[in-house]
Amino acid sequence: LAYQSVHASNNRSSQAECPSFWVDPYNATINSTKRRMFAGMCSCMDSGIGNVTAALSKYGYLNTDGNTIVAFSSDNGGPTTTGD
């Protein structure tokens, strides 16, 4: 399952997007608009992964006996030279 929730262009060709109900909870704690957007994207991804694991559990593929593996991998993102 390819999951690219926390993903945005660094070349300003496209803006990061996330529904405000994921971003707004961070308004009081994160000053940077870009970092709030990132936090909202992470929260959205976390919820989506919760949906996947709930479906696995519902259909008997997520076992509590230790015989289920859910693996995550990342390319560690793009360059951090954009001043963010």
Side-chain angles (χ1 to χ4, degrees), residues 17-76:
E17 295 181 32
C18 186
S20 62
F21 61 85
W22 291 113
V23 179
D24 290 348
Y26 300 101
N27 287 343
T29 56
I30 300 175
N31 292 329
S32 168
T33 302
K34 289 181 180 183
R35 290 185 183 268
R36 272 196 312 271
M37 181 67 65
F38 178 78
M41 289 176 168
C42 287
S43 291
C44 181
M45 179 180 63
D46 184 53
S47 178
I49 291 168
N51 292 340
V52 170
T53 56
L56 290 172
S57 182
K58 177 179 177 180
Y59 293 104
Y61 294 108
L62 186 63
N63 301 317
T64 58
D65 62 4
N67 287 325
T68 303
I69 297 173
V70 177
F72 298 89
S73 68
S74 172
D75 67 357
N76 295 322

